[in-house]
Structures are given as C-alpha cells and as structure tokens.
C-alpha cells in the first residue's frame, strides 16, 4: 500500500502485512458529525501524531516521546536506574509546534524537537529497517539507541481503525527487539548491547477522539530463551480491529480485547491485565513513574507511565505457554483532550 488514504478520500482499514508508504492525511474526506465537508484548517487542527521509543533492561529503563498536537509540540524523555531508584526526566512544550518537524512516512524520515541546546530526534530508515533515537540535553545527557527489524526478521503490528463518528487512527507497534547503542548521563554510562537492553516503538497518527483515554501495557525481554514482546491497549484502536498482540522471536500473535484492573489512586500497586481469549494473563507491579498534568482548556492531559515488572503467562493457541517472570516493562493510564 503506497498511501493510507485512498482515491475516494477514505482510509484503508484493517490489519496490514506491511506499512503504508505515506500517511496522507490531507487527502482524507474529513467531515463534521452532521456530514459537512471540512477544510484544510480543520484537517490541520484535528490531526495528531506521536512517536515513542522505549528502552528496557535490568540496569536502565528509558523512554522518549514526541507529539504533534497542531496547537502545540510536546516531548519528554526520562531515564530510570532501578538499582539506585534515581531518575532523570525532562519535558518540553512548544506553542504551534515551533522547533519541531514530523514526517508522515512511518518507515522513513525524521521526527524531532529542538529547544535551545536540547534535541529529541527519532529516525526511521527503510533499508535496512531501523529505528534510531538520539537525545542530546543541555545537562550533558546523551542517548543514541537503535534497533533493526531485519536481523532477525520481525513482524510489526500495523493497522488502521475507524475512530468516533468521523475519524481514524493508524498505528504501527514493535516490541521484543534487541537494542544497541549507548547512554551517557548522571546515572552512568551504559553500552545498551552489553547490558542486554531491549526496545519498543510506537508510530501513531490520525483523527483521534477529541476527548479520550487509554490504558496500555508493553514489555520486552527474554523468557525461556525466547525474545518476547507485548503490546496491549484498552480505550483506543478497538473499533472493528484491535492493536493487541504479542511477539515470540519476532512472530506476531494477535490477541482479543483486554481488561486492565488497577487502582487509579495507587498506580504503583498491582495491575491485572487479562485478555478475553485467554492468551494473556499478566500481573504488573510498579517501581517508578513518569507523569505529566496539563490543562490549557483547549488541550488537557493527565498522563502516567509506570515502569516495573511483569509476571504471568502468555498462552498462544498454537504453541506451548511462555512464563513471564519478573520482566521489566511499562503500563500507562492516560486521559487526553485535544
């Protein structure tokens, strides 16, 4: 598929074997809930895009996200050192996205944010298929991390779902891939390959619900000698299709709808995450969190990303169960108005 939006102005919906060459949102036949055609200004205002790169290991955990919300460009980055409990975190908010740029090509191009001597940059390369994170902060922190989807072969999750009465969301997810590169910071210097780091990645864009929420869970690591990744969500991307899946040695295994049971006032306490088809039964206990709260009337966010350990079992229908024993990962509890 060369373009996500077809000749009639409508998206291609469903689960895709490959990745669209271009998320050509300007070609979308965008209408009001009452059927009135909306112009270029409305298309710009309502289109949102974000990209996330996460790092997981026993010695270091990190995450970096960039978001284009039309009226604002937002970015954050953090590093957490499990042994000491120490953390570095920075947040950036740029009006009208000044100092940012976003490519609408999921497998190629650059998304970045610059503010002063701070740079957050996410690169997507097609040949070979690689994702790279580069962070340079004015306090001397530097992250240079990348992973490949070619060696060994990996099947990303790629789908487009209808959203609300007049929108859609495209998402491409990866988890359970080994990572290489280096991190230099006040927490120490780390060779990511030497410490056995894994990575996960999210590229999402579209006309999302103007007011929405989601819970999300992701883990990456090694279990029973297998490379394992998990991507589970509740609240978005569930109209006709779901993004829920896990990977075993790069093979994508789809999962039905999932339920998140947790105490919103105590996010570091136990979460129970189960799928309707019985393939996922996980417990998560938090160790630390990154949180943001923003309320500008026209844009609002109440965001918690909690990192900690997963236990439980994955039960693929066509192979032996895989036990998850203390693997590091993330969960999210997110409300957004945009």
């Amino acid at each position: 598929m060369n373009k996500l939006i077809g000749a009639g102005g409508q998206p291609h919906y469903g689960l895709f074997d490959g990745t669209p060459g271009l998320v050509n949102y300007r070609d979308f036949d965008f209408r009001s809930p009452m059927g009135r055609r909306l112009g270029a200004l409305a298309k710009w205002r309502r289109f949102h895009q974000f990209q996330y790169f996460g790092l997981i290991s026993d010695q270091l955990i990190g995450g970096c996200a960039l978001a284009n919300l039309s009226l604002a460009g937002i970015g954050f980055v953090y590093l957490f050192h499990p042994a000491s409990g120490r953390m570095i975190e920075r947040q950036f908010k740029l009006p009208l996205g000044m100092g940012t740029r976003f490519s609408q090509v999921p497998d190629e191009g650059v998304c970045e944010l610059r503010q002063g001597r701070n740079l957050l940059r996410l690169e997507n390369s097609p040949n070979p298929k690689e994702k790279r994170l580069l962070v340079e902060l004015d306090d001397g922190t530097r992250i240079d991390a990348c992973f490949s989807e070619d060696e060994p072969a990996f099947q990303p999750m790629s789908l487009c779902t209808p959203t609300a009465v007049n929108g859609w969301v495209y998402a491409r997810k990866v988890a359970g891939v080994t990572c290489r590169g280096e991190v230099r910071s006040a927490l120490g210097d780390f060779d990511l390959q030497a410490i056995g780091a894994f990575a996960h990645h999210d590229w999402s864009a579209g006309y999302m619900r103007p007011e929405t929420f989601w819970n999300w869970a992701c883990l990456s690591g090694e279990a029973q000698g297998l490379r394992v990744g998990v991507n589970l969500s509740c609240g978005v991307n569930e109209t006709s299709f779901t993004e829920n899946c896990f990977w075993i040695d790069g093979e994508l295994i789809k999962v039905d709808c999932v339920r998140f049971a947790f105490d919103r006032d105590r996010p570091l306490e136990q979460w129970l995450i189960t799928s309707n088809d019985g393939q996922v039964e996980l417990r998560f206990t938090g160790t630390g969190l990154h949180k943001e709260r923003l309320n500008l009337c026209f844009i609002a966010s109440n965001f918690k990303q909690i990192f900690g350990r997963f236990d439980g079992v994955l039960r693929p229908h066509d192979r032996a169960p895989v036990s998850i024993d203390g693997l590091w990962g993330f969960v999210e509890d997110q409300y957004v108005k945009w």
Side-chain angles (χ1 to χ4, degrees), residues 18-298:
T19 303
L22 176 66
V23 178
N24 53 323
Y25 73 94
R26 294 180 181 86
D27 296 330
F28 176 44
D29 183 9
F30 190 33
R31 303 197 182 199
S32 75
M34 301 305 293
R36 179 172 59 88
R37 277 196 169 88
L38 300 174
L41 181 60
K43 289 183 182 182
W44 167 80
R45 171 65 184 91
R46 285 288 309 280
F47 179 77
H48 302 312
Q49 177 180 348
F50 56 88
Q51 192 172 170
Y52 177 79
F53 192 117
L55 301 170
I56 297 179
S57 75
D58 290 337
Q59 297 186 40
L60 186 70
I61 294 172
C64 179
L66 296 177
N68 170 19
L69 307 183
S70 66
L71 296 178
I74 294 175
F76 71 77
V77 60
Y78 67 84
L79 292 168
F80 175 69
H81 187 232
S84 66
R86 297 168 60 205
M87 185 170 178
I88 296 169
E89 55 184 329
R90 296 285 293 274
Q91 302 174 17
F92 303 93
K93 298 177 177 66
L94 284 69
L96 298 177
M98 294 182 293
T100 67
R101 60 170 170 151
F102 286 84
S103 167
Q104 276 77 59
V105 182
D107 270 348
E108 189 172 359
V110 171
C111 297
E112 70 174 18
L113 177 154
R114 291 180 180 270
Q115 187 179 66
R117 294 189 294 116
N118 301 293
L119 168 67
L120 310 182
R121 179 182 175 96
L122 287 155
E123 302 175 3
N124 302 304
S125 302
N127 293 306
K129 288 185 179 179
E130 288 188 343
K131 310 294 182 185
R132 182 191 182 206
L133 167 66
L134 178 63
V135 174
E136 295 176 340
L137 302 182
D138 54 14
D139 64 0
T141 298
R142 189 176 193 274
I143 304 170
D144 190 350
C146 69
F147 66 85
S148 171
E149 296 175 15
D150 287 335
E151 296 180 6
F154 186 90
Q155 298 175 270
M157 193 289 306
S158 178
L159 91 167
C160 186
T161 60
T163 304
V165 67
N166 63 343
W168 50 268
V169 176
Y170 172 75
R172 186 185 191 278
K173 304 289 184 83
V174 171
V177 289
T178 56
C179 184
R180 63 187 186 276
E182 61 179 13
V183 174
R184 298 202 308 266
S185 73
L187 302 178
D189 296 342
F190 301 87
D191 180 317
L192 296 174
Q193 189 169 11
I195 66 173
F198 280 74
H200 55 272
H201 185 264
D202 175 359
W203 196 106
S204 295
Y207 290 87
M208 305 167 188
R209 293 177 181 87
E211 188 170 5
T212 190
F213 93 100
W214 62 79
N215 296 130
W216 174 68
C218 180
L219 69 83
S220 293
E222 186 173 302
Q224 299 177 200
L226 305 168
R227 290 178 292 109
V228 176
V230 169
N231 178 81
L232 304 169
S233 182
C234 178
V236 294
N237 298 336
E238 293 168 320
T239 309
S240 303
F241 315 93
T242 81
E243 67 175 70
N244 299 323
C245 62
F246 56 86
W247 293 267
I248 298 177
D249 280 343
E251 178 188 353
L252 174 68
I253 299 168
K254 279 296 284 118
V255 174
D256 198 355
C257 294
V258 296
R259 179 174 184 266
F260 290 72
F262 65 101
D263 186 335
R264 182 158 281 155
D265 294 326
R266 298 174 177 85
L268 294 179
E269 295 186 1
Q270 189 174 85
W271 295 48
L272 298 177
I273 304 162
T274 54
S275 66
N276 291 343
D277 59 12
Q279 291 193 104
V280 174
E281 184 178 332
L282 295 173
R283 300 177 304 279
F284 172 86
T285 303
T287 301
L289 64 85
H290 168 80
K291 62 181 179 179
E292 298 184 30
R293 185 171 292 180
L294 175 71
N295 191 353
L296 301 177
C297 295
F298 55 88

